[in-house]
Amino acid sequence: MQIHDTTLTYESLPSVYKLLDSIGFMWLIVLITVGIFAWIAAKLWHIHSIPKHLAKEKGLAQAKLVFWLCVLGLVWKPLWVLAVLAIVTDWDKVQHWLKGARS
């Protein structure tokens, strides 16, 4: 059963095909893609370094620990969460609580 004639033929390619087939356009696409990935990586690094900057600003003794937890948190996320917790924890109260628990 035939619904329509199938005599449609294409004699030329679409006009945009020459642009898509050019090497210059493909390099432009590659550069834009690499630029987007680099921008995303920079933003992720900025987010991961927020605890490090806060630890430095507050002058915390565990600033190096927070730095390494942030860097390793890029691979394993719970370490980044520990870095954030290390900043917001009042270590004097924790130390006082530990000393009180030992007595």
Side-chain angles (χ1 to χ4, degrees):
M1 178 174 167
Q2 188 175 16
I3 296 174
H4 297 287
D5 281 339
T6 57
T7 59
L8 292 175
T9 59
Y10 294 103
E11 296 175 6
S12 64
L13 295 172
S15 61
V16 74
Y17 186 76
K18 289 182 183 180
L19 173 68
L20 295 175
D21 197 32
S22 69
I23 292 177
F25 182 72
M26 288 300 128
W27 275 110
L28 178 68
I29 296 295
V30 167
L31 290 175
I32 289 173
T33 304
V34 168
I36 289 172
F37 281 129
W39 182 76
I40 290 172
K43 291 302 174 184
L44 284 174
W45 179 256
H46 177 72
I47 289 171
H48 270 271
S49 63
I50 289 173
K52 176 183 71 164
H53 293 300
L54 288 175
K56 259 187 177 178
E57 285 178 10
K58 291 182 178 182
L60 297 176
Q62 67 269 22
K64 284 190 177 189
L65 171 68
V66 170
F67 168 76
W68 283 109
L69 287 174
C70 288
V71 169
L72 295 173
L74 288 169
V75 178
W76 196 51
K77 298 297 179 206
L79 293 176
W80 187 80
V81 174
L82 285 176
V84 173
L85 290 175
I87 291 174
V88 298
T89 303
D90 187 2
W91 291 103
D92 292 332
K93 287 184 181 179
V94 170
Q95 188 177 17
H96 180 68
W97 179 76
L98 287 173
K99 285 181 181 177
R102 288 183 187 164
S103 322

